[in-house]
Amino acid sequence: MEAVYPNSEPVFDNSKEYEDGEDCSVVEHDNEKDSKKEYPQPTVGLEFGSFDEAYDFYNMYGKEQGFGIRVSNSWFRSKRKERYRAKLSCSNAGFKKKSGANHPRPETRTGCPAMLVIKLVDSKRWRIVEVELQHNHTVSPEIRRFYKSHKKMVLAAKKQQELTPVTEVHTIKLYRTSIDTAYDGFQEVKETDISLPVDTSKHLELKEGDAHALYNYFCRMKLTNPNFFYLLDLDDEGCLRNLFWADARSRDAFNYFSDAVAIDTTSLRNKYEIPLISFVGVNNHGQPVLLGCGLLGHDSVEYFIWMLKSWQTCMLGRHAQVILTDQSKPMQIAVSKVFPQARHCYCLSYIMQRVPEKLGGLKGYESIKIQLYKSVYNSLKITEFESSWSQMISQHGLGDNKWLQSLYEDCEKWVPVYLKDISFLRIMPIKENESLVSLFDGYVHKHTSFKEFVDKYDLALQRKHLKEAMSDIESRSSSFELKTKCKFELQLSRIFTKEIFKKFQKEVEGMFSCFNTRQVNINGPIMTFVVKE
């Protein structure tokens, strides 16, 4: 999958010479001021319009980090002498050949492994196929000197100014599949370019004005929200397949509220006009908080993997400990591939909402439903659940029901009695009649268009932020009435927010009302007690 990753940093693309293996040792240049700029980190999949652009990109990155670069190796096609592969290395890569001189120069290189390998693809663009970012020597952007590769760039700029006084400078055009977090612009894409029909079943179905609305929104966000992140997934014909974005607030919230994250695919399941995916956490007031958004062009493993990797890249490679999704097989495969260390669970309310659809036509449906709910919600032990489930299956002759079979096979992912060791932080509804509240509930309906969503998106978030701010004020100004003599109730009343403390207080009350605890049995490491209320 290919994605557009525009950038507006200036480069100087006058004709340059790239001497393979040239020595780019440090040279003094104190007259030029080096203003540090945010520049994207090289990653596999990043693409460029030409070899020069790839060289300039790595050179600018090296200048920001504090190291020089050189072309350490090149591969050419023998007949046309056309370069099709190259290795750009740190200027400290390798070692100089031993000299036979009486007083040879001291060795300045360190055999540094930092480099990137670029390859010509489709005879059009250069793609990074291998990257090593770590150096074995100190690099610092604060040093008051330039490497030879940087000096060439400065001289090229001066020559450009002498030849023709220009008011604009060229830009590096970058394309990528795996996006980093630093970028400064949005490459203009016409609506006709985005919506070229090749296989419309696997592309976002943009209507007239939708592409322009998205383009304007992202431009505005980049001007007002410097840490705004977005990623477009385009195919070879330039058709838009997927889209992901997250603003600065969402990226910051991930640092605090990412232990358990729900991936809300309500729009996909209900076949809304806008195929919205939301990454949602729970804040310190028990309220949903947005951690990223996406638009999915097709319900497939490949597209889900792209979306999850985009979110992971946006969050600097971090991921949630618990990921909550619907019972989607493509999503299940994608989560296992992108986040193999995370605990993947199914949202209980998603499953229970499907009961009428899957079992409504069966004889004795009401009785089946009651017994199913009792097994799921009232079982306190795993043995209780298994016994109650088996009784339901045998009593109503449901042994051949494939949906119930699949649910039982995955019971450890959604039945509450199996999930007692997981802290869902209130993100998973575990009581009857509870459901996962969609963050855009009331703002997005089945026929909401892309243009409408862009307008309503900011409004929805503003109201969520206002509600959060009001809860902050209320928690700071409230005094809580204590209901027990437990000291930790007093301690936690000073730590928790109002909403969270109220939930905790109910548990304290229940515990405080228990008495007459006595041990009745010991079986190895397991001790059994009777507690009366």
Side-chain angles (χ1 to χ4, degrees), residues 95-106:
F95 297 96
K96 294 180 180 178
K97 294 180 180 179
K98 292 185 178 181
S99 173
N102 294 331
H103 301 286
R105 292 183 180 182

Side-chain angles (χ1 to χ4, degrees), residues 299 301 304 326-335 344 346 410:
D299 187 359
V301 173
F304 277 124
D326 63 1
Q327 197 186 16
S328 163
K329 195 65 177 178
M331 175 68 84
Q332 180 183 358
I333 296 172
V335 170
H344 184 198
Y346 297 148
D410 292 331

